[in-house]
Amino acid sequence: VSDESKHDLVINGSYVAASAVFVTLVGALAMLMPTSSKTSYLEKNSNFFDVNIKSSGTYDNLSDESSPRFGADATGEILFNFTTTSDEQVIYLRRQSFDLFRNEKWVTDDSFYDFDFDKNVHLYGDNEVNSPSYVYSIAKSLADKDYTKDLGVDRSQFPNDLFSEKAVMNQFSDSFAPSYIPAPLMITPGENNVYIKTTHSEVYRPYDTAGNKLGISFEYIPETESERQAAANLDMTENQFKLLLSYGLTNGDVTSNQALNIYKIYALYTDVSAYDDKGGKMEALAKSITENCKNDYEKAQALVDYFEQNGYVYDNEYEPDDESIAYFLFTSKRGNCTNYATSMTLMARMLGLPARYVEGFAAYEKNERGEFVVRDSHAHAFVEVFITGIGWMTFDPTVPGYQRDYSANGTNFDVSTFVSYFSRIALFTGVAFVLVVFVFLNRIIEVFFRLSLKFRDNGEKVIRLYRRVVRLLTIASNDKLSGYTPEMIREYLVKRRGVELGGLIDLFEKTCFGGYVPDEAEWKMVYAEYKAQWKKLTKREKTSLELDKNM
């Protein structure tokens, strides 16, 4: 505030310009710097593949809880490759399933380890394990004995060749050497293959008990269109299936362990007691989605379709203020695979469908040799639903968008990265443009002023040029000069600025007050006079307060 200007605010243009330049440069540099990001245990962790095999045949070092549903990140690093004889376009490699949803996270529960739901024990090359399709095998064997007749279920719904197709998978890596690697849902043992198959994890272990690396090759049963069509056509309820099992128990066609394992699947994998569905809103949504479905498979598929058909968006970088699954499902409708898989698993359980949340990988990228490429960014969460009479089947409710494209040369570059860096460059360019305009604002305005003179006659040019001089003097000195006569302006220029513009002032008086029309030569002379003195006219004049501070 200056006393000389009667307490009007005096703006120091130099300070404003310096501050603006500093803030702009720091902001631009910050935008170009790599941003820190939270990394989930699933997608980037040096111990991700560690499993310690104990002499008792158990293992540890799997996660006690699921990965964070927001803030995940990955580098795009290639972990391993594999080939398969199956023609599947996307292959889901399961790492670990979880039991209960508690405090907005999936957790494991030791009670779930008490039962071997697949009727498979921990194995070390034991080839006597039952087929992974044992649920369907049991149901079909009982249907073949006509036990389904009294249930109103047609035995023709159990075709003979279901689950007969097998595929061979070979996994390998040039540099990555995990202690175990993920595998599809239904793997079968091969000669000399050491692997682990349990309730929570189904993985292949490429080392024997002595630590010698074996060939990473195994068979598995892919989920084909035939299995999915059979599941969609099978008209059997949970109660009918349990009644069918009781017939088998009574007649000695089913063992008590087989029946108990299946009963426990329905009991434990429909548990939502640890989740507070406030007002029953999620359950009501699940029922409305599946109200016209006739069987388990149609219900599960309807839950998958719901997300894509109702405006949900895949966004791996989105981090909302409210991280609850209810907020994702009913409000934001934006998130990554963990949100979609969690929502579907909970809704399936609320419908009485046994379901489990699974973390692993979705393999969809192939290299030029036709090999599947698995990166850390392919880490994925999906759902496995127990379909009555069929067994566990894989469902992926995540909407399109998570399958990122990578360059052909195998680098970590992808489209989203390009867009991100391009947007930063565009933003930096915009900031730089604003900065240049701000620094050179006076010159830019002067250029436009001089260009505007070209479209006027000589008389109007002289009048505009004189007014421009007065305007520049006012800006530079903060003096109010609008009431000054031309003669006072002449005196002001000489005494205060050391500038002589007598030719312009004389010509202005003749033109403005005498009706004189200058010729081209006169105009060029005063215009040259103005341009020669322009810098002095724009130089800011120090106030008395500033002069006192410098003394």
Side-chain angles (χ1 to χ4, degrees), residues 103-241:
N103 297 325
E104 296 298 328
K105 290 183 179 180
W106 287 97
V107 298
T108 57
D109 189 307
D110 290 340
S111 64
F112 282 62
Y113 283 103
D114 295 337
F115 305 96
D116 185 2
F117 300 124
D118 290 338
K119 204 175 184 300
N120 287 308
V121 296
H122 303 278
L123 298 174
Y124 293 91
D126 185 355
N127 292 324
E128 295 180 359
V129 62
N130 289 343
S131 167
S133 59
Y134 81 96
V135 172
Y136 179 76
S137 299
I138 292 173
K140 176 173 170 48
S141 66
L142 297 177
D144 288 343
K145 294 186 177 181
D146 219 16
Y147 292 145
T148 59
K149 183 178 181 180
D150 295 337
L151 303 177
V153 178
D154 193 336
R155 60 188 295 181
S156 64
Q157 296 182 51
F158 298 89
N160 293 324
D161 58 349
L162 214 61
F163 296 107
S164 60
E165 179 181 337
K166 291 185 178 181
V168 176
M169 180 174 290
N170 297 286
Q171 297 185 346
F172 52 91
S173 174
D174 295 333
S175 57
F176 194 71
S179 55
Y180 79 99
I181 48 181
L185 174 62
M186 295 190 291
I187 61 174
T188 58
E191 292 185 7
N192 299 321
N193 280 342
V194 176
Y195 72 103
I196 308 167
K197 179 183 175 69
T198 69
T199 300
H200 288 78
S201 185
E202 185 161 5
V203 296
Y204 176 83
R205 183 171 178 256
Y207 294 86
D208 60 19
T209 54
N212 299 314
K213 189 171 183 178
L214 303 175
I216 310 176
S217 178
F218 51 82
E219 285 186 340
Y220 71 100
I221 299 177
E223 290 187 9
T224 65
E225 184 58 32
S226 297
E227 278 78 38
R228 293 193 170 272
Q229 191 61 50
N233 294 333
L234 183 56
D235 189 12
M236 177 183 285
T237 65
E238 173 189 341
N239 290 334
Q240 288 175 320
F241 188 37

Side-chain angles (χ1 to χ4, degrees), residues 439-492:
V439 172
F440 297 100
L441 182 60
N442 286 340
R443 293 181 180 274
I444 294 172
I445 293 175
E446 182 65 19
V447 167
F448 279 99
F449 167 72
R450 295 182 184 185
L451 288 174
S452 68
L453 293 177
K454 295 182 179 296
F455 304 98
R456 312 291 177 179
D457 59 41
N458 290 337
E460 192 173 355
K461 288 179 182 178
V462 171
I463 294 173
R464 283 177 171 268
L465 194 61
Y466 174 82
R467 290 175 179 173
R468 178 65 175 163
V469 170
V470 177
R471 175 64 178 163
L472 292 177
L473 290 175
T474 302
I475 294 173
S477 65
N478 290 318
D479 291 334
K480 297 179 180 179
L481 305 176
S482 58
Y484 278 35
T485 65
E487 191 60 33
M488 293 170 67
I489 292 294
R490 185 199 306 268
E491 184 178 354
Y492 185 95

